[in-house]
Amino acid sequence: MSNRIDYANASPEGYKAFGGVYVNLQQCGLSHELIDLVYLRVSQINGCAYCIDMHSRDLLKLGVTVDKLVLVPVWRDAGEVFSTRERIALAWAETVTRVADTGVPDADYAVAAAEFNDKELVDLTYAIGLMNAFNRFGVTFRSIPTAAAKA
């Protein structure tokens, strides 16, 4: 795989705008681990190798165990490895990422809204939307994962 376009350098203003959303999310009050778990799950759904590599590394730096990290794709079957809040965030990430298929049902919204206040749910949804956008850049322009670049 070879990188098609370095999109951050090709359009630095656009990249900076996305970066502003990222910075806001780092300061929004949701835990960094929760946001990175959502980033990872969205990236897995979208098949963005670059983002999967990056967010896995970020989670490891935050102290997330390998046992937990490898169970993200199958979080529903991981028992108590994920907290209730994490499970609800991961379910929300899946339904929002697959919006064309799910339509984000009222039942999914009700579960998420019962756990997260309005600001938290909107910020969580910003995080999901941001990662979906970055995944599209990563896949489209063939961003090379750190592990692949080292190989």
Side-chain angles (χ1 to χ4, degrees):
M1 177 170 84
S2 62
N3 192 356
R4 292 176 174 168
I5 295 175
D6 180 346
Y7 61 88
N9 286 326
S11 179
E13 297 82 12
Y15 186 75
K16 184 177 178 181
F18 279 109
V21 176
Y22 178 83
V23 169
N24 177 68
L25 289 167
Q26 293 299 301
Q27 302 166 359
C28 74
L30 293 171
S31 78
H32 291 232
E33 183 177 332
L34 181 73
I35 290 172
D36 278 328
L37 283 170
V38 164
Y39 286 164
L40 178 58
R41 185 66 191 120
V42 169
S43 298
Q44 290 169 339
I45 291 166
N46 291 323
C48 183
Y50 178 84
C51 295
I52 291 168
D53 181 73
M54 178 173 59
H55 297 297
S56 295
R57 292 171 189 279
D58 290 346
L59 285 161
L60 289 169
K61 287 177 192 170
L62 288 173
V64 172
T65 65
V66 171
D67 291 343
K68 185 172 187 174
L69 187 65
V70 299
L71 291 173
V72 171
V74 293
W75 62 268
R76 291 178 194 273
D77 299 320
E80 298 301 314
V81 171
F82 297 93
S83 70
T84 299
R85 190 168 175 86
E86 289 169 338
R87 289 191 301 269
I88 292 169
L90 290 166
W92 186 246
E94 289 181 0
T95 195
V96 171
T97 296
R98 295 179 170 133
V99 65
D101 297 326
T102 69
V104 188
D106 289 342
D108 292 354
Y109 172 77
V111 171
E115 178 65 32
F116 295 96
N117 68 37
D118 288 355
K119 180 186 183 315
E120 291 173 329
L121 189 54
V122 169
D123 287 338
L124 184 60
T125 308
Y126 280 138
I128 295 162
L130 178 67
M131 193 47 46
N132 272 287
F134 273 128
N135 290 165
R136 277 139 182 83
F137 285 106
V139 172
T140 300
F141 297 123
R142 305 290 193 260
S143 298
I144 300 170
T146 299
K150 291 179 181 178

